[in-house]
């Protein structure tokens, strides 16, 4: 025994016997015990990791220690093919080991494992012969969950409904789930509404309720977003959308109508309420009356009317010629309105705003000189109450002494919301008191709305028409006639001219309001029909197929087509009738903007006077921006002529061409260049004036002039005015007639001094609303030898004789009828 002990000590320390021989293994003589481990273990592993934490730790003991091999632990054996674990020895001597997973562990697939483990020693030698195994221990491993999954809603959209006026404990319930395996991470601990400023709340169980009563008329549908959180505070990857529909309680009223109706210009009549019906919430009704009212004060002069000048309209409506337009669109000849402030914008009718500081003198050559006991004044006026307790006179039109004295021969003014017309007769006509001031007191004068006024003078009777309705003066005062004198008179608009009895002549009695279409003419307007034509609207309400309403619905449409009244006993017939009400605007280029609609209804039930109250409704017809026309003028840009030829007159515009186009896509910056874009279409409609302006020095009186023979105007609705600054041709007529007349305008010079004369031609339609580009013509005048050389080279004209025609091409992409 002592030998064996020494041998083992030498063997353990050197691996050899003292005599140098290899020591033989003799462990088989001492491997008497099998390893020992605990009887059971409890382990925890976190999913997606391989480390198992065991309690108690994995340690095997062997009583054969410290004998080599026999007292060492060589391994652990896991029993169970389904157990995805293995055990490794960390230290053979101490018997310490570690349990680990052979691959990723998924808690959602299996939450726990139970298997058997054994330890084995190293046997009697390196080959492991004679190894001994421990008893079998039970190992129970639980898989620890990782919060890897987000909550998921059972549906991405939920729908619920409530009745307006009620508060619910629960409208509907949303539900979400989580695929994690543990209660901590798989349970939904909280729901939350993510939408801002909502009238709803949600509890921990997903029940949604409203926090306030809802109103169907204010909002009939709510869309809210909801999210969910698991107990690990992981949020749902995608919110659920919850739709809450508000069901109305039955309330009498119109249903199926739109608050905004778009109207495209040029589309004719458009139905306003194609799906409208009345909900009465009662049984049968005995009688229904519905009123549809169109309010158009925001458009032009109270509504969309003809946009031509008042003088042109009078001719179109059948009045005789001879009217003088005192507020025309500014142009080369009619230039006294250039300093006035235009009211309403480019897209509206031409009107002028006066704020108590603007006025205009009418040139003497414009003022009608042949006024007798019969003449007519017409104007559109919008006027409000005057500021201050003692309002001053506000003059629309005044004909007064130009110098020396301050006599008003005739005038039209407003004073304290009264319209007054002053007419002082001449002393040569009579020497007794005569009617001189005619007073009218009407609500229309100060209601801040547009109205059409016609003052018809058939002295001593003066009649006022307002919007076609006749009004007699409530007061007529007499005065002495005015003594005749040689003092010149001054006609003014917007104020009265005070030329005498003051140190410095000035305007006084300024007007505050808006005016349009102010004219004066000799003689009376022939009939009420003409007056109605002058103020008629081009827009209004209409009834499609009124004959289909049969006799069960009675309807009335007022002359202005702004009011429709329907009465009947059958509810369905009334619904059908209202669906036929339409809006129509026959203007080619209507004023864009809103037109307001109001519908009021009265209902009677059997045996009762009034059984229900139907609220009024309001809607808006939005007239869209019309396609804008472009007037294009082309022709020769340079002419060269000997000075001697000018005495007979030179036709300036013999190669003139005028077309009008509209665009229906993007605005084309240069119509003449982009003619291939397909954006233009030539249209045939009317112009209302063309101006030929002389650029540079004015024409010298008696030596130079622009000439137009009167025969050129025969058969046309055209007139012209001439001055040293140019010529204005005016009247509503076709482009072809304007072209024909302008081609006959001649420039005449009896003594040519200048070598160059330049003329500018512009044309307008709709009373200046749309104007052409400026067409320039330069006339080169040859003197002396230049003229002789020009004649000698007539057969081979130089390059400055070439007539330049800018290219204009029209496409067929869009058309706009009259």
């Amino acid at each position: 025994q002592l030998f064996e002990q020494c041998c083992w000590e030498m063997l353990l320390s050197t691996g050899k016997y003292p005599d140098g021989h290899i020591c033989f293994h003799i462990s088989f003589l001492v491997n008497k015990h099998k390893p020992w481990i605990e009887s059971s273990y409890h382990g925890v592993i976190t999913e997606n990791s391989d480390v198992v934490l065991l309690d108690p730790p994995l340690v095997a003991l062997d009583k054969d220690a410290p004998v080599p091999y026999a007292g060492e632990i060589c391994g652990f054996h896991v029993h169970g093919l389904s157990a995805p674990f293995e055990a490794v020895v960390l230290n053979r001597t101490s018997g310490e080991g570690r349990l680990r997973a052979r691959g990723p562990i998924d808690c959602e697939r299996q939450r726990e494992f139970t298997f058997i483990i054994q330890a084995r020693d190293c046997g009697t030698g390196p080959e492991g012969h004679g190894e001994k195994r421990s008893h079998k221990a039970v190992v129970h491993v639980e898989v620890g969950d990782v919060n890897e999954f987000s909550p998921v809603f059972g549906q991405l959209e939920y729908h619920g409904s409530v009745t307006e006026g009620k508060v619910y404990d629960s409208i509907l319930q949303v539900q979400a789930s989580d695929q994690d395996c543990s209660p901590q991470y798989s349970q939904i601990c909280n729901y939350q509404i993510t939408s801002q400023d909502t009238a709803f709340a949600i509890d921990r169980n997903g029940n949604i309720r409203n926090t306030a009563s809802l109103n169907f008329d204010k909002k009939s549908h709510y869309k809210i977003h909801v999210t969910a959180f698991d107990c690990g505070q992981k949020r749902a990857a995608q919110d659920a959308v919850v739709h809450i529909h508000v069901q109305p309680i039955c309330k009498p009223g119109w249903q199926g109508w739109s608050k905004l109706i778009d109207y495209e210009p040029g589309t004719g009549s458009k139905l306003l309420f194609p799906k409208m019906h009345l909900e009465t919430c009662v049984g049968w009704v005995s009688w229904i009356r519905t009123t549809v009212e169109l309010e158009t004060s925001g458009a032009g002069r109270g509504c969309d009317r003809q946009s031509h000048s008042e003088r042109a309209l009078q001719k179109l409506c059948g009045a005789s010629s001879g009217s003088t337009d005192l507020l025309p669109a500014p142009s080369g000849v009619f230039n006294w309105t250039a300093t006035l402030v235009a009211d309403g914008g480019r897209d509206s009718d031409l009107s002028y705003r006066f704020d108590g500081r603007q006025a205009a003198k009418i040139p003497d050559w414009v003022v009608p000189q042949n006024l007798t006991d019969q003449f007519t004044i017409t104007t559109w006026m919008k006027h409000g109450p005057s500021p201050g307790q003692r309002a001053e006179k506000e003059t629309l039109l005044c004909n007064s002494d130009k110098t020396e004295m301050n006599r008003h021969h005739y005038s039209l003014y407003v004073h304290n919301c009264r319209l007054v017309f002053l007419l002082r007769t001449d002393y040569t006509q009579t020497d007794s008191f005569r009617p001189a001031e005619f007073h009218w007191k009407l609500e229309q004068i100060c209601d801040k709305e547009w109205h059409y006024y016609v003052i018809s003078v058939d002295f001593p009777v003066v009649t006022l028409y307002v919007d076609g309705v006749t009004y007699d003066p409530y007061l007529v005062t007499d005065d002495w006639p005015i003594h005749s004198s040689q003092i010149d008179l001054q006609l003014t608009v917007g104020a009265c001219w005070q030329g005498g009895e003051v140190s410095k002549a000035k305007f006084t009695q300024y007007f505050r309001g808006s005016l349009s279409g102010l004219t004066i003419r000799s003689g009376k307007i022939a009939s009420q029909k003409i007056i109605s034509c002058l103020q008629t609207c081009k827009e209004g309400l209409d009834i499609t197929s009124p004959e289909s309403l049969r006799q069960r619905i009675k309807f009335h449409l007022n002359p202005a087509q702004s009011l429709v009244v329907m009465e009947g006993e059958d509810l369905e017939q009334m619904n059908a009738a209202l669906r036929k009400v339409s809006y129509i605007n026959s203007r080619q280029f209507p004023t864009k903007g809103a037109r307001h609609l109001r519908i009021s209804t009265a209902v009677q039930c059997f045996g009762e006077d009034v059984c229900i109250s139907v609220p009024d409704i309001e809607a808006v017809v939005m007239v869209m921006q019309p396609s804008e026309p472009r007037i294009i003028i082309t022709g020769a840009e340079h002419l060269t002529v000997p000075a001697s030829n000018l005495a007979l007159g030179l036709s300036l515009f013999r190669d003139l061409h005028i077309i009008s186009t509209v665009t229906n896509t993007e605005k084309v910056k240069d119509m003449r260049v982009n003619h291939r874009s397909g954006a233009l279409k030539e249209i045939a409609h009317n112009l209302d004036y063309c101006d030929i302006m002389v650029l540079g020095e004015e024409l010298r009186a008696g030596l130079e002039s622009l000439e137009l023979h009167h025969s050129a105007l025969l058969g046309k609705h055209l007139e012209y005015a001439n001055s040293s600054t140019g010529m204005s041709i005016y009247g509503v007529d076709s482009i072809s007639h304007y072209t024909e007349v302008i081609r006959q305008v001649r420039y005449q010079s009896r003594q040519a001094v200048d070598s160059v004369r330049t003329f500018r031609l512009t044309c307008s339609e709709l009373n200046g609303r749309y104007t052409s580009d400026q067409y320039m013509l330069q006339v080169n005048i040859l003197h002396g030898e230049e003229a002789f050389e020009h004649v000698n080279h007539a057969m081979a004209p130089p390059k400055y004789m070439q007539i330049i025609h800018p290219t204009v091409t029209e496409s067929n992409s869009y058309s706009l009828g009259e």
Side-chain angles (χ1 to χ4, degrees):
Q1 292 180 350
L2 181 60
F3 173 78
E4 290 179 358
Q5 182 177 354
C6 292
C7 181
W8 277 115
E9 289 178 358
M10 289 294 294
L11 182 63
L12 292 174
S13 61
T14 65
K16 297 180 180 181
Y17 284 110
D19 60 0
H21 292 90
I22 300 300
C23 186
F24 292 98
H25 292 282
I26 58 173
S27 59
F28 66 91
L29 298 176
V30 295
N31 190 12
K32 300 178 180 180
H33 303 92
K34 60 183 181 181
W36 177 90
I37 58 177
E38 298 286 347
S39 60
S40 64
Y41 295 88
H42 184 273
V44 175
I45 183 173
T46 303
E47 65 174 334
N48 301 324
S49 70
D50 62 352
V51 178
V52 180
L53 301 178
L54 283 179
D55 183 23
L58 182 60
V59 177
L61 302 177
D62 197 315
K63 290 183 179 182
D64 291 322
V67 178
Y69 301 108
E72 296 177 350
I73 304 302
C74 271
F76 295 93
H77 182 65
V78 175
H79 297 276
L81 296 177
S82 62
F85 298 96
E86 62 182 3
V88 296
V89 177
L90 299 180
N91 191 310
R92 294 171 61 171
T93 303
S94 64
E96 181 181 358
R98 174 181 294 171
L99 183 65
R100 64 188 182 188
R102 292 197 302 267
I105 302 298
D106 189 354
C107 178
E108 287 71 40
R109 184 171 297 177
Q110 188 170 342
R111 293 192 56 190
E112 57 184 26
F113 298 87
T114 301
F115 52 89
I116 302 300
I117 192 170
Q118 278 184 300
R120 62 180 176 86
D121 60 20
C122 296
T124 57
E127 291 79 11
H129 297 300
E131 69 176 19
K132 291 184 181 291
R133 293 193 178 190
S134 70
H135 62 274
K136 294 179 179 180
V138 178
V139 181
H140 182 77
V141 177
E142 293 183 359
V143 181
D145 191 17
V146 173
N147 196 6
E148 57 186 329
F149 291 99
S150 300
V152 176
F153 284 95
Q155 344 175 173
L156 291 179
E157 289 198 7
Y158 293 83
H159 291 267
S161 62
V162 298
T163 301
E164 65 173 337
K166 293 181 63 177
V167 177
Y168 292 76
D169 294 331
S170 177
I171 301 172
L172 59 88
Q173 184 182 26
V174 298
Q175 288 185 324
S177 60
D178 195 307
Q179 296 182 17
D180 287 308
C181 66
S182 65
Q184 178 183 4
Y185 298 140
S186 65
Q187 292 184 3
I188 306 301
C189 279
N190 190 28
Y191 292 91
Q192 183 178 318
I193 295 176
T194 59
S195 302
Q196 300 295 321
D197 301 326
T198 182
F200 300 92
I202 190 170
D203 64 18
R204 297 172 64 89
N205 297 319
N207 294 300
I208 296 178
R209 60 184 177 87
N210 55 320
T211 57
S213 60
L214 306 178
N215 187 291
F216 175 83
D217 293 330
K218 290 184 178 180
K219 196 171 184 179
S220 62
H221 170 248
Y222 292 84
K223 180 181 178 182
I224 60 177
H225 290 260
V226 175
T227 191
F229 295 88
D230 62 23
C231 294
Q233 292 305 301
K234 195 176 187 70
R235 179 174 171 170
Q238 186 173 0
D239 291 353
V241 179
V242 180
H243 299 271
I244 306 295
H245 304 274
V246 182
Q247 303 298 331
I249 59 174
C250 189
K251 293 186 295 186
W254 290 102
Q255 298 180 5
W257 57 280
S258 175
K259 291 185 178 180
L260 180 63
I261 303 138
D262 289 337
Y263 181 82
E264 287 289 343
T267 56
S269 179
K270 180 169 184 176
L271 295 176
L272 297 174
F273 316 108
K275 298 181 180 179
M276 195 168 183
H277 65 277
L278 178 63
E279 176 59 63
T280 62
C281 297
V282 295
W284 296 99
V285 298
S286 60
W287 176 84
I288 308 168
R289 182 183 65 215
T290 302
T291 302
V292 183
E293 186 176 1
L294 176 68
E295 193 272 312
T296 59
S297 60
R301 299 185 300 264
C303 69
D304 260 346
R305 308 177 192 274
Q306 289 281 12
S307 289
H308 304 298
S309 68
E310 182 70 15
R311 176 177 52 195
L313 278 179
Q314 290 181 16
K315 292 187 67 174
L316 291 174
C317 287
S320 58
S321 59
S323 178
T324 301
D325 195 348
L326 302 181
L327 286 176
S331 64
V333 177
F334 304 108
N335 57 5
W336 63 89
T337 57
T339 59
L340 300 181
V341 179
D343 190 16
R346 176 178 177 274
D347 293 328
S348 187
D349 299 321
L350 178 65
S351 59
Y352 295 96
R353 183 174 68 253
F354 298 83
D355 62 0
R357 292 175 294 181
Q358 295 91 11
K361 293 181 179 180
I362 309 301
D364 292 340
W365 63 270
V366 176
V367 179
Q369 304 295 328
N370 57 345
L371 294 183
T372 61
D373 286 346
Q374 289 186 341
F375 63 95
T376 304
I377 300 172
T378 67
T379 187
W380 286 92
M381 180 178 73
K382 180 170 67 172
H383 182 266
S386 303
Q389 294 182 352
R390 297 187 61 186
E392 299 293 330
K393 293 180 179 179
E394 299 178 54
T395 301
L396 287 74
L397 176 68
C398 182
N399 193 34
S400 59
D401 291 330
K402 184 176 292 188
T403 58
E404 300 183 30
M405 304 182 72
N406 187 31
R407 298 176 301 173
H408 296 182
H409 295 256
Y410 63 85
S411 67
L412 180 65
Y413 62 90
V414 175
H415 189 211
N416 289 326
C417 291
R418 292 166 172 81
L419 185 66
V420 182
F421 177 64
L422 169 69
L423 178 61
R424 301 287 300 278
T425 56
D426 192 89
Y427 195 83
T428 58
Q429 297 174 313
T430 180
D431 58 355
S432 61
F433 261 27
R434 300 295 300 273
E437 281 191 334
F438 303 82
H439 299 249
W440 294 269
K441 184 178 181 181
L442 304 172
E443 294 181 358
Q444 295 93 319
I445 296 171
C446 286
D447 66 358
K448 299 182 181 180
E449 300 289 347
W450 281 106
H451 298 285
Y452 185 58
Y453 297 82
V454 177
I455 308 291
S456 180
V457 179
D458 188 3
F459 197 81
V461 177
V462 178
T463 304
L464 171 67
Y465 299 87
V466 180
D467 299 330
V469 179
T470 306
Y471 295 93
D472 294 324
Y474 80 94
L475 175 66
V476 178
T477 59
D478 297 341
D479 203 346
W480 290 105
I482 292 179
H483 288 274
S484 59
S485 67
Q486 300 302 315
I487 301 174
D488 291 333
L489 302 181
Q490 178 64 63
L491 183 62
T492 56
V493 174
C496 208
W497 181 252
Q498 187 173 359
E501 302 178 359
V502 290
S503 58
K504 182 179 180 181
K506 63 179 181 178
F507 284 112
T508 186
Q509 299 176 4
Y510 283 97
F511 179 69
R512 292 176 174 85
S514 296
L515 297 175
S516 178
L518 178 59
T519 68
I520 187 169
R521 60 180 293 125
S522 177
K524 296 193 300 181
I525 290 183
S527 67
Q528 181 75 31
K529 182 178 179 181
I530 295 177
I531 295 176
S532 298
C533 173
L534 291 172
Q535 51 129 18
T536 186
C537 288
K538 304 295 287 184
E539 64 178 333
L541 300 174
D542 195 14
I543 299 177
T544 306
S545 303
E547 66 279 357
S548 64
L549 299 180
R550 304 174 186 174
Q551 297 180 352
R552 303 185 68 178
I553 298 294
K554 298 179 181 179
F555 67 90
H556 168 72
L557 184 63
N558 70 337
Q561 292 188 244
S562 61
L563 186 72
V564 176
V565 181
M566 297 180 172
E567 294 184 7
E569 299 176 353
D570 186 275
L571 177 59
E572 290 305 318
Q573 289 286 336
M574 180 60 70
N575 290 335
L578 199 62
R579 295 186 194 119
K580 295 180 179 294
V581 177
S582 61
Y583 169 81
I584 187 170
N585 193 318
S586 58
R587 266 182 56 169
Q588 190 172 23
F589 304 105
T591 305
K592 68 176 181 180
R595 317 292 198 265
H596 295 274
L597 289 166
R598 176 184 291 272
I599 300 178
S600 55
T601 308
V603 179
Q604 290 182 359
C605 298
F606 290 99
E608 302 180 37
D609 291 336
V610 177
C611 57
I612 60 172
S613 176
V614 178
D616 292 353
I617 64 173
E618 295 183 354
V620 171
V621 177
M622 184 61 67
V623 178
M624 310 305 288
Q625 174 72 48
S627 300
E628 296 190 356
R630 289 289 301 272
I631 307 168
I632 302 174
I633 305 175
T634 60
E637 295 181 351
H638 298 273
L639 293 178
T640 301
V641 60
S644 58
N645 290 1
L646 294 179
L648 299 176
L650 171 67
S651 295
L652 295 174
F653 306 105
R654 57 178 177 267
D655 296 297
L656 181 76
H657 295 277
I658 305 175
I659 64 171
S660 182
T661 64
V662 293
T663 60
N664 67 319
T665 55
E666 297 181 15
K667 291 185 178 180
V668 182
K669 293 182 180 179
D670 188 345
M671 295 293 185
R672 302 181 182 183
V673 175
N674 295 310
H675 57 272
R676 295 183 180 179
S677 65
L680 301 181
K681 169 63 182 178
E682 183 177 353
I683 56 176
H685 50 87
N686 295 329
L687 301 178
D688 46 26
Y689 69 80
C690 287
D691 282 337
I692 304 170
M693 296 300 299
V694 179
L695 301 185
E697 294 184 5
E698 296 183 2
L699 299 177
R700 292 164 294 172
L703 298 177
E704 294 179 284
S705 63
L706 292 175
E707 301 292 336
L708 178 63
H709 198 277
H710 183 71
S711 62
L713 304 179
L714 294 177
K716 303 176 181 65
H717 301 288
L718 296 177
E719 302 175 64
Y720 77 95
N722 210 349
S723 71
S724 60
T725 61
M727 176 182 291
S728 183
I729 303 170
Y730 52 89
V732 179
D733 211 332
S734 65
I735 291 179
S736 61
H737 278 181
Y738 266 93
T739 304
E740 181 181 339
V741 169
I742 295 174
R743 286 175 179 174
Q744 300 183 56
V745 174
R746 302 175 67 84
Y747 167 60
Q748 193 173 48
S749 176
R750 297 170 181 81
Q751 182 181 349
V753 176
D754 300 319
S755 59
V756 175
R757 267 296 188 187
T758 304
F759 300 90
R760 182 183 68 204
L761 173 63
T762 56
C763 293
S764 158
E765 58 183 308
L766 300 183
N767 203 22
R769 183 174 172 184
Y770 302 111
T771 56
S772 69
D773 296 333
Q774 295 182 353
Y775 166 67
M776 310 294 291
L777 172 63
Q778 179 177 302
V779 178
N780 301 306
I781 304 172
L782 303 179
H783 299 271
E785 295 182 359
E786 290 180 324
F788 179 76
E789 184 178 351
H790 171 75
V791 173
N792 289 340
H793 291 82
M795 298 302 294
K799 61 182 180 180
Y800 55 75
M801 281 292 292
Q802 296 177 2
I803 296 176
I804 302 173
H805 294 280
T807 302
V808 178
T809 303
E810 303 81 43
S811 73
N812 296 319
S813 62
Y814 183 67
S815 64
L816 184 61
E818 280 290 323

